[in-house]
Amino acid sequence: MDMSSKRIKGNANLRRGLGSKTTDSDKIMEDPPAGDWLALRSDQLLKWIDDAVYNAAETTGMREVVDRVTRPIFNYAQRFSPHPLHFGIMCCAIEMGQASAPDHDIDRLGLVYRSSPRQCDVLIVNGPVCEKLRPKLKTLYEQMPEPKWVIAMGECAISGGPYWDSYSVVAGADTFMPVDVYIPGCPVRPEALMHGFLTLQKKIREKEPGMFLRR
Amino acid sequence: MSLFSFCKAMAEWTADYMLIPVFNFQAGLFPPFSNPAGDIADWLETDGGLNTLAWLFAVNIAFAIGMTNLIIVIHLERKIAARIQDRRGPMLSLRSFRELGEDLAGNSPSWRFKQNYAGIGILQNMADGIKAITKELIIPAKADKFLFTMGPIIFISSSVFLLVLFPLSDRFAASSAPAGLMVIMAAFSIAPIGVLTSGWASNNKYSMIGGMRSAAQLMSYEIPLLLSMAGVFLLAGSFDPVTIVEQQQQSTWFFGLPMWNFIPQFIGFIVFMICILAEVERVPFDLPEAEAELVEGWTTEYSGIRYMLFLAAEYIRGFAGAAVCTILFLGGWAGPWPVPPEVWFLLKVYLILIFWIFIRWTVPRIRTDQILELGWKKLLPLSLINILIVIFMVEIYPYLSDTLTLLPEVF
Amino acid sequence: MAEMWISMGPQHPMTHGLWTLKVKVDGETIVDADPELGYLHRSVEKMGERRKYFMNTTLTDRLCYASSTTWTHCYALSVEELMEVEVPQRAQYIRTIMLELQRLASHLMWAGAYMPDLGHITGALYFWRDRELFLNLLEAPSGSRLLYNYIRIGGVKRDLPDGFEQKTERILKLFEQRLDEYADLFENSKIFRMRTEDVGKFTAAQAQNLGITGPNLRGCGTKFDLREHDTYEIYDEIDWDIQTREAGPGYSDCFSRYMVRIDEMRESIKIIRECFKKMPAGPTMASKIPVRATGEAFRRTEDSRGEALMYVVGDGSDRPYRWKIKSPMFTTISACPHYLKGYKVADIPAIMGSIDICIGETDK
Amino acid sequence: MEIKAFMKEVSSVKGVTKVGLVRNNVVKCNLDKEGSKDFFVKLKDDFGFEHCSLITAIDNQPQFELVYHFSAINGSVFVKDSSAAVMAEIHIFLDRDTPTVESISDLWFGANWHEREAFDLMGIYFIGHPDLRRVLLPEGFAGHPLRKDYVYEIHEEEW
């Protein structure tokens, strides 16, 4: 529940075009003073146009109509094109690599591993998260653009797994970041990883209807 | 009928039946002063106005064709790569639209994953592209905001610009300038500026090294590239793509076969193929975005649609590079009759692209110092040798043969 | 460009695991390097002190995800030394077969991970396709895919299944053909050699002092293999050779290290075949295995990455009092400033990939 | 040098006690903490132990025990009629109050990180080490976890 409100905020920034920091969420509905349009800065102008379009769409009921059409389309695109982060922690990372090998070929599901967190949708936590790694993993998660999902792959990422009594392993990835899909197994087989992605697809379709004109 | 005359007819039709009535109507609604609608209607009736409208149509048609090709190229790349690697590649099928229909109609969802993944996967590109629109655009806090936004604009616009610059045949050209190929090459070398800009503005060390590498690569490759093209220009005596293709068609070999440029200028052809690979930054010369050491190179900090457009622009450049190669060395749109020349042209372009895809997935990437060494020490002398051969063909050989035929008359 | 530090990792395609390499570069030339470990420190040694001897095989399996059998075997050997257990002859043969199959799988894992470092993704998928064959073979007797837990203290879990020999022979034959095919794609390729030759050089004397062992040391031309020089199981009864390569007189580069591993794969095939030929019948588990142990013992084995050493101290209880793991990669990574200096940034993945990093065993 | 001759030479060095054979190719001996560096220099230069395999620290409560493993890769010490490579296992005992010993990382670079690890997990201080800081645990971690008196919380759940 908490996550959904966060996501809306991120998308609002996206709609504002440049994601500029000067936009203040309290002043969104304010109209610029008449006659001063030429004096606006470019980001203010964009914001004003954005608001004007939104208000017009809202009052005429256009927003409902547009959303009704665009929502399934965006949702379709989001769920059929998950780009995971190329990030390996332990054993399950090997199986993650093996899943893209010819025998299993996870590329069939449209997966492209990207190395930069800026270009990814899915973070696969595939191993034990140690105390030293936790801040880095959190940073990686925060570097990813909205909307984003997390898959906890394997027992270690779910609960600490075989390292439950270690002094340095965190008891599961969900203790410090939201996790969408859990894949049990030690290690997770490539088939299970594929099933995990299909489950994520299911979840995106049911829980997150996409957006176009949404606050 | 050429593309331009077709567009001219279309422009006349739209101007007469749609635009001028609309503008006149609007001019009637408002007082005439400070109302440009009437002026626009008048201007559309003139020759200049009609020509401008016709060019607009022509450019848009060329652009649409280029973009369609782009989708096919990306799909080909993924599928052929998968086949090389003994896999199947993306398989998102048209039947996955069933889910879209259910969502649009508001029906309860059904889960038939097997049906979604049983096609040829051309929808995968659409899904990737539309998804990129919905992603958040991130500008890093310490990045140079203006240049960070400008970098992609420079890179993408210069690449998309390429799409309308080359003709698909002598009758299908959105633009035909006497200096056509020079403009194309100039447009090609704008992009590294965008790479350097965005690499520097990202405030990321990987990006910066990527941008620097791009600049270094540009310097070492532009010179042999243009020198290898110089041979073709000398032979044709023109920079115009149409003239170059016609010249290739006219010069014949044994059995009356046309002697395309890659036969007499084989050295130049090899040099050009290597250099254009470096120009469009494909493996083995994709140093600026070398994934193994520079994460994603100069695109590391870009997210969402910006990154997706970078990716698309690279394929557009690949497509344009293959088109230039076809025009210069492979006889352009020339081919036996029943197949239209545009199809011949695209066939040749795709042949080159598929060759590049095979190269990309079968060789490792080479190193920066090796690329510079190759450019300066090997390719530059080779392209100069090529020019020497062409000079011999164009200038000295006719002179010599003339003298030799004259000799019996003298004695 | 002035000198600057670049931090690679823990999320970086070059790292092959979870560590950070900080390099100081002048332009694109590496001036200095500083590796940093510990992102995967799971405190296996401390946890082992809380578990009984036979329970620790779960942890040793997860030490190195690329070659789990070798580590479990090393642990089992040292505990058998501590408890003075005699392993039956047939179990030793089965162990040898499993070890060599695991070595093949591990080297294939490495080769697959090495190719994308050079920008050659197809190579990775080719090698991983073959690795799948050996994973299937290892799965047949053990019943598990990546972490087998097959080798136990005193023997192996169960006997080989029916038809295992024929299946293995079929796969080995196929794999030999493929290795010959790959030769054209990799070691005979001009660009591949351009990237790997004369890169990441160190001499044999240097390597011994730096603590580099295994295939990396044999790449310098040093004939040192613990299967021969501190022999265990039945390696002394089998006819095989130590594979060495050298790039020049007494030094190695990335290409020689690559070739040593390819040669070792061929040698492993030979060993497996011979094991099947000589394998006797009999039990696969020692008849009596004690639970408690006193004293100290260590054994070292030739892991796919080098010298693996486990030192176990017992205090008379059923749990180890102290259990120390020596990972070959720990020292090899620590020495990386020595063999990275002077090369280009683009060489980092080529060099670090060629020494075959596994962080699971390194961070323990 | 044959392994028997090696044992004889080692036992004559000052500070070495209890020289014995563990296996046919492993020599085990105890060494005093004082003057240990001289012995290690001799081990490397005279006997040709090129490779430092491992440094283990054991918390024997109350004292600490350091175990060094060296191996002769080039065969300067050998076993007769055998291809086995000779190892030397050296034990040094340290007081709990002063867990310090001289560093050998200038002799064997491979010992560098083993010493760092022993410092990190067991809290042994190596005098003369060029860069003695934590290697596996994060900076600012309190305590040395492999010591027997290190107490930490285990999240044991009822089930």
Side-chain angles (χ1 to χ4, degrees):
Chain A
M1 295 306 108
D2 191 20
M3 272 312 294
S4 61
S5 64
K6 224 170 154 187
R7 247 165 225 159
I8 293 166
K9 207 175 167 194
N11 291 331
N13 267 333
L14 161 66
R15 268 195 316 105
R16 243 164 264 138
L18 294 171
S20 94
K21 280 189 156 180
T22 53
T23 42
D24 190 346
S25 54
D26 299 338
K27 297 178 181 169
I28 278 172
M29 302 302 283
E30 250 177 44
D31 281 337
D36 273 7
W37 294 358
L38 289 176
L40 290 178
R41 279 209 316 276
S42 59
D43 54 338
Q44 288 169 333
L45 181 71
L46 278 176
K47 192 187 122 214
W48 180 80
I49 293 173
D50 197 55
D51 289 342
V53 169
Y54 180 78
N55 288 339
E58 184 74 66
T59 44
T60 53
M62 215 36 198
R63 191 177 84 91
E64 292 299 314
V65 179
V66 172
D67 266 8
R68 181 86 200 246
V69 179
T70 53
R71 226 181 241 161
I73 294 175
F74 283 154
N75 191 287
Y76 173 88
Q78 279 175 3
R79 70 172 181 268
F80 280 118
S81 152
H83 288 190
L85 183 66
H86 185 253
F87 177 60
I89 299 179
M90 231 178 84
C91 321
C92 293
I94 305 292
E95 293 296 60
M96 189 180 87
Q98 201 71 37
S100 46
D103 277 41
H104 302 284
D105 186 18
I106 209 162
D107 191 23
R108 281 180 296 168
L109 306 188
L111 265 78
V112 181
Y113 288 98
R114 305 297 308 182
S115 302
S116 165
R118 301 270 189 227
Q119 301 155 6
C120 295
D121 314 318
V122 184
L123 175 65
I124 305 177
V125 185
N126 42 24
V129 184
C130 301
E131 287 291 349
K132 201 173 178 179
L133 176 67
R134 183 164 66 171
K136 314 266 175 186
L137 198 62
K138 186 88 179 154
T139 313
L140 275 180
Y141 176 72
E142 279 158 6
Q143 277 174 339
M144 281 163 53
E146 300 275 349
K148 54 191 169 191
W149 298 276
V150 178
I151 292 180
M153 182 183 183
E155 302 294 346
C156 308
I158 293 173
S159 65
Y163 308 108
W164 59 275
D165 58 344
S166 161
Y167 57 80
S168 67
V169 174
V170 177
D174 52 2
T175 52
F176 63 99
M177 62 160 76
V179 175
D180 293 272
V181 176
Y182 297 87
I183 312 175
C186 191
V188 169
R189 292 179 72 99
E191 298 94 324
L193 179 64
M194 285 161 91
H195 183 259
F197 270 100
L198 292 179
T199 313
L200 180 67
Q201 214 181 79
K202 221 171 182 174
K203 177 169 181 172
I204 294 172
R205 191 177 175 194
E206 280 173 353
K207 297 280 161 61
E208 296 182 41
M211 61 86 217
F212 183 60
L213 288 170
R214 199 174 72 168
R215 287 243 166 209
Chain B
M1 196 160 93
S2 74
L3 178 68
F4 182 70
S5 51
F6 171 72
C7 290
K8 188 80 182 273
M10 216 158 82
E12 274 167 10
W13 190 87
T14 36
D16 287 352
Y17 293 101
M18 291 170 71
L19 295 177
I20 294 173
V22 167
F23 281 120
N24 280 335
F25 173 69
Q26 199 185 348
L29 281 181
F30 293 101
F33 51 88
S34 82
N35 182 12
D39 297 340
I40 293 173
D42 291 344
W43 177 68
L44 277 176
E45 282 169 350
T46 64
D47 231 22
L50 276 177
N51 274 348
T52 313
L53 202 58
W55 280 124
L56 206 65
F57 281 130
V59 166
N60 273 310
I61 288 171
F63 180 69
I65 288 174
M67 279 305 183
T68 318
N69 277 317
L70 165 74
I71 290 169
I72 298 171
V73 170
I74 295 178
H75 181 241
L76 267 184
E77 166 102 39
R78 286 185 77 165
K79 277 308 232 194
I80 294 179
R83 290 319 298 169
I84 290 174
Q85 293 162 357
D86 201 2
R87 305 186 280 122
R88 277 172 180 275
M91 287 178 78
L92 188 56
S93 69
L94 284 170
R95 269 178 284 177
S96 64
F97 275 146
R98 180 181 48 80
E99 287 193 1
L100 194 60
E102 277 170 9
D103 288 353
L104 280 171
N107 291 346
S108 57
S110 67
W111 305 108
R112 272 174 284 177
F113 294 118
K114 213 173 167 185
Q115 283 193 12
N116 295 345
Y117 294 111
I120 57 165
I122 197 152
L123 283 178
Q124 192 63 55
N125 299 323
M126 311 277 185
D128 286 353
I130 297 171
K131 182 209 73 181
I133 299 173
T134 65
K135 296 292 281 185
E136 179 188 1
L137 287 178
I138 296 175
I139 299 185
K142 287 185 179 167
D144 186 323
K145 290 196 177 50
F146 177 69
L147 287 181
F148 189 83
T149 332
M150 279 310 285
I153 294 176
I154 298 171
F155 186 79
I156 294 157
S157 58
S158 72
S159 308
V160 171
F161 180 46
L162 283 168
L163 278 183
V164 296
L165 282 179
F166 54 84
L168 260 63
S169 73
D170 47 355
R171 61 181 185 188
F172 197 103
S175 80
S176 64
L181 280 165
M182 279 290 104
V183 180
I184 291 176
M185 293 328 289
F188 254 120
S189 40
I190 294 171
I193 299 171
V195 175
L196 195 57
T197 313
S198 45
W200 183 82
S202 301
N203 195 18
N204 182 321
K205 283 164 184 167
Y206 300 127
S207 305
M208 193 169 81
I209 294 180
M212 293 291 175
R213 281 184 179 185
S214 180
Q217 194 172 323
L218 171 82
M219 281 199 287
S220 61
Y221 269 85
E222 282 286 297
I223 296 163
L225 178 71
L226 290 174
L227 283 177
S228 64
M229 291 167 76
V232 179
F233 298 150
L234 276 174
L235 212 58
S238 168
F239 290 132
D240 189 0
V242 180
T243 323
I244 289 171
V245 173
E246 273 169 5
Q247 179 268 330
Q248 291 184 49
Q249 205 55 20
Q250 277 155 13
S251 54
T252 50
W253 209 17
F254 52 88
F255 304 123
L257 283 172
M259 187 164 71
W260 293 343
N261 275 337
F262 77 94
I263 299 159
Q265 303 191 33
F266 191 70
I267 300 170
F269 178 60
I270 300 289
V271 173
F272 181 85
M273 283 295 269
I274 294 171
C275 292
I276 199 81
L277 264 183
E279 182 81 41
V280 302
E281 282 166 13
R282 290 179 70 86
V283 174
F285 305 111
D286 66 336
L287 304 170
E289 48 187 314
E291 196 186 324
E293 65 258 22
L294 299 181
V295 193
E296 295 287 337
W298 50 281
T299 58
T300 304
E301 291 289 341
Y302 285 93
S303 66
I305 192 67
R306 284 197 187 118
Y307 145 71
M308 212 41 110
L309 284 176
F310 271 141
L311 210 72
E314 264 167 33
Y315 282 99
I316 292 175
R317 283 160 67 77
F319 182 66
V324 172
C325 186
T326 313
I327 291 171
L328 286 177
F329 291 99
L330 293 183
W333 43 84
W337 169 68
V339 184
E342 290 84 7
V343 176
W344 270 117
F345 185 79
L346 286 179
L347 269 179
K348 287 175 187 172
V349 169
Y350 276 109
L351 211 65
I352 293 175
L353 275 171
I354 288 169
F355 178 57
W356 285 358
I357 291 168
F358 268 81
I359 289 181
R360 173 168 186 163
W361 297 101
T362 40
V363 295
R365 176 187 304 123
I366 73 172
R367 223 163 53 208
T368 329
D369 52 332
Q370 288 165 344
I371 212 174
L372 297 181
E373 200 172 297
L374 189 69
W376 287 105
K377 291 187 185 162
K378 306 246 167 72
L379 297 178
L380 193 61
L382 275 176
S383 54
L384 288 173
I385 290 170
N386 179 52
I387 290 190
L388 279 182
I389 293 171
V390 175
I391 290 174
F392 180 80
M393 277 168 57
V394 177
E395 299 292 333
I396 301 168
Y397 177 72
Y399 175 74
L400 272 179
S401 58
D402 282 358
T403 347
L404 287 175
T405 44
L406 283 177
L407 276 178
E409 292 171 21
V410 174
F411 296 104
Chain C
M1 220 190 294
E3 287 184 355
M4 64 176 180
W5 284 94
I6 302 179
S7 172
M8 295 181 163
Q11 196 274 319
H12 192 282
M14 175 276 297
T15 53
H16 291 196
L18 220 55
W19 60 294
T20 302
L21 176 64
K22 291 177 186 151
V23 283
K24 191 180 187 182
V25 292
D26 177 15
E28 283 224 17
T29 313
I30 300 161
V31 184
D32 201 0
D34 178 22
E36 190 184 336
L37 288 182
Y39 295 105
L40 204 49
H41 177 59
R42 292 146 292 163
S43 69
V44 170
E45 287 169 6
K46 184 81 174 175
M47 284 158 63
E49 291 170 10
R50 299 183 77 245
R51 285 160 169 74
K52 292 180 184 174
Y53 281 106
F54 66 90
M55 287 161 83
N56 276 338
T57 48
T58 321
L59 294 177
T60 50
D61 256 342
R62 282 151 184 78
L63 259 184
C64 176
Y65 32 83
S67 73
S68 70
T69 302
T70 50
W71 285 97
T72 312
H73 170 252
C74 185
Y75 173 75
L77 259 189
S78 45
V79 174
E80 280 154 13
E81 174 96 9
L82 181 70
M83 296 174 170
E84 290 160 4
V85 178
E86 263 307 302
V87 180
Q89 191 78 0
R90 184 173 171 86
Q92 290 193 13
Y93 272 93
I94 294 176
R95 277 182 178 193
T96 310
I97 291 168
M98 295 304 279
L99 286 176
E100 292 306 318
L101 283 176
Q102 180 67 69
R103 194 181 307 279
L104 277 162
S106 170
H107 280 347
L108 283 170
M109 180 71 231
W110 160 79
Y114 187 37
M115 290 308 154
D117 286 350
L118 305 173
H120 197 317
I121 296 160
T122 308
L125 296 180
Y126 280 175
F127 281 121
W128 285 345
R129 177 181 65 179
D130 297 340
R131 182 170 179 264
E132 196 80 23
L133 301 173
F134 291 104
L135 287 188
N136 287 343
L137 273 185
L138 284 162
E139 193 177 348
S142 64
S144 175
R145 195 180 134 82
L146 188 64
L147 311 172
Y148 311 101
N149 207 352
Y150 181 62
I151 293 179
R152 301 284 170 87
I153 296 163
V156 293
K157 187 160 68 178
R158 61 174 85 90
D159 208 342
L160 294 176
D162 294 340
F164 187 72
E165 190 181 344
Q166 288 79 14
K167 196 180 167 192
T168 313
E169 181 54 36
R170 208 163 56 235
I171 287 175
L172 291 183
K173 209 177 265 175
L174 175 68
F175 179 61
E176 269 184 332
Q177 281 172 11
R178 284 195 179 159
L179 266 186
D180 294 339
E181 269 179 45
Y182 296 159
D184 283 340
L185 196 54
F186 303 117
E187 58 244 39
N188 298 340
S189 154
K190 173 94 180 160
I191 299 180
F192 183 83
R193 295 185 81 126
M194 266 165 78
R195 277 305 301 276
T196 50
E197 277 182 345
D198 289 333
V199 169
K201 288 188 279 197
F202 51 77
T203 61
Q206 242 184 334
Q208 289 165 16
N209 193 286
L210 294 175
I212 297 171
T213 46
N216 299 325
L217 181 62
R218 289 195 286 279
C220 307
T222 308
K223 237 179 161 50
F224 185 75
D225 193 321
L226 289 171
R227 285 177 282 178
E228 164 88 32
H229 287 116
D230 201 352
T231 188
Y232 50 92
E233 307 302 355
I234 41 98
Y235 281 110
D236 50 345
E237 296 167 19
I238 281 176
D239 179 33
W240 65 283
D241 303 316
I242 302 172
Q243 297 299 317
T244 56
R245 285 264 175 167
E246 46 187 349
Y251 71 87
S252 75
D253 60 5
C254 294
F255 187 69
S256 72
R257 295 198 283 274
Y258 172 85
M259 285 311 294
V260 158
R261 291 192 173 91
I262 297 289
D263 291 345
E264 269 188 18
M265 284 198 242
R266 292 182 198 274
E267 199 62 32
S268 290
I269 292 173
K270 217 171 103 187
I271 295 175
I272 293 169
R273 283 197 175 131
E274 199 162 332
C275 277
F276 274 123
K277 234 177 268 165
K278 290 184 177 171
M279 192 154 66
T284 57
M285 200 74 177
S287 52
K288 190 169 171 295
I289 303 161
V291 182
R292 294 160 205 286
T294 322
E296 52 171 39
F298 79 93
R299 279 311 285 266
R300 47 180 189 163
T301 60
E302 185 71 23
D303 183 43
S304 355
R305 286 164 182 74
E307 175 195 49
L309 195 154
M310 284 211 192
Y311 182 79
V312 187
V313 181
D315 63 343
S317 70
D318 53 356
R319 291 147 212 257
Y321 182 76
R322 174 84 167 93
W323 170 37
K324 174 74 183 171
I325 302 154
K326 192 257 163 157
S327 141
M329 275 303 117
F330 190 67
T331 41
T332 313
I333 291 176
S334 79
C336 82
H338 288 260
Y339 47 78
L340 279 178
K341 246 175 236 174
Y343 297 102
K344 305 272 183 246
V345 173
D347 290 329
I348 295 175
I351 298 169
M352 295 318 292
S354 75
I355 66 165
D356 191 4
I357 290 167
C358 178
I359 294 297
E361 55 169 72
T362 309
D363 278 355
K364 296 184 268 286
Chain D
M1 192 187 298
E2 228 278 78
I3 192 163
K4 292 277 159 40
F6 168 70
M7 279 170 67
K8 200 170 281 175
E9 285 218 17
V10 163
S11 54
S12 68
V13 178
K14 187 174 155 281
V16 177
T17 50
K18 278 171 80 178
V19 182
L21 269 180
V22 179
R23 281 198 299 277
N24 66 338
N25 62 337
V26 182
V27 179
K28 178 183 169 184
C29 62
N30 290 3
L31 183 65
D32 287 348
K33 185 179 142 187
E34 282 74 34
S36 61
K37 189 65 175 283
D38 299 338
F39 175 75
F40 286 130
V41 171
K42 205 172 160 58
L43 196 68
K44 188 188 176 217
D45 295 342
D46 298 357
F47 300 123
F49 281 81
E50 286 290 335
H51 177 70
C52 171
S53 283
L54 182 59
I55 299 176
T56 316
I58 304 169
D59 183 5
N60 273 341
Q61 275 178 334
Q63 73 202 112
F64 288 115
E65 183 182 358
L66 275 182
V67 186
Y68 293 77
H69 287 95
F70 300 99
S71 64
I73 286 181
N74 289 332
S76 52
V77 181
F78 55 88
V79 185
K80 215 173 177 180
D81 305 327
S82 164
S83 61
V86 174
M87 282 199 99
E89 184 183 323
I90 291 149
H91 294 245
I92 298 181
F93 293 92
L94 308 174
D95 292 337
R96 195 167 193 86
D97 304 329
T98 52
T100 54
V101 71
E102 274 190 274
S103 164
I104 56 163
S105 60
D106 51 340
L107 298 175
W108 291 274
F109 184 86
N112 189 323
W113 275 32
H114 287 311
E115 289 182 351
R116 273 179 72 180
E117 193 195 333
F119 164 73
D120 186 358
L121 301 179
M122 201 62 106
I124 313 282
Y125 288 82
F126 291 89
I127 297 164
H129 190 281
D131 185 19
L132 198 66
R133 58 194 159 98
R134 287 192 184 274
V135 57
L136 291 177
L137 291 166
E139 292 289 331
F141 190 91
H144 302 285
L146 280 194
R147 288 189 180 186
K148 290 286 177 187
D149 53 3
Y150 178 79
V151 184
Y152 65 103
E153 199 181 332
I154 299 170
H155 305 284
E156 228 164 329
E157 282 174 23
E158 293 281 327
W159 55 283

